[in-house]
């Protein structure tokens, strides 16, 4: 698995999101996802939204994904 594939999958599921993914070992990844869709949602709900974009890859090709999820206002 590579970072660009993960970024593209998240962007497909959250089209208005700004996404940055890092993961030099190809198994453990860190992602910053900034999306207006996160407004009014608790962190757990935000993470579930991101995980939903990745489907079965979570726990398989993506062993671990550390998330930072922000609204555009929070990111400023």
């Amino acid at each position: 698995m590579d970072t660009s594939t993960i970024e593209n999958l998240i962007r497909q599921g959250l089209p208005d999101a700004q996404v940055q993914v890092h993961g030099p070992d190809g198994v453990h990844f860190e992602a910053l996802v900034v999306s207006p869709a996160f407004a009014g949602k608790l962190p757990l709900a935000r993470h579930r939204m991101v995980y939903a974009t990745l489907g079965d890859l979570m726990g398989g090709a993506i062993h671990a994904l550390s998330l930072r999820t922000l609204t555009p206002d929070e990111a400023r």
Side-chain angles (χ1 to χ4, degrees):
M1 183 58 52
D2 61 82
T3 56
S4 62
T5 299
I6 296 170
E7 287 178 3
N8 289 333
L9 288 168
I10 295 171
R11 284 191 191 106
Q12 286 175 15
L14 297 167
D16 294 335
Q18 298 172 19
V19 183
Q20 296 176 354
V21 178
H22 302 281
D25 68 0
V27 178
H28 301 90
F29 299 92
E30 297 177 6
L32 169 62
V33 183
V34 179
S35 174
F38 296 149
K41 299 208 175 14
L42 295 173
L44 183 59
R46 294 175 181 192
H47 289 199
R48 286 181 179 154
M49 290 170 69
V50 175
Y51 292 146
T53 68
L54 301 171
D56 292 339
L57 295 174
M58 287 304 304
I62 302 170
H63 178 71
L65 177 64
S66 172
L67 288 174
R68 186 161 179 229
T69 53
L70 304 170
T71 66
D73 287 341
E74 293 167 343
R76 287 186 199 130

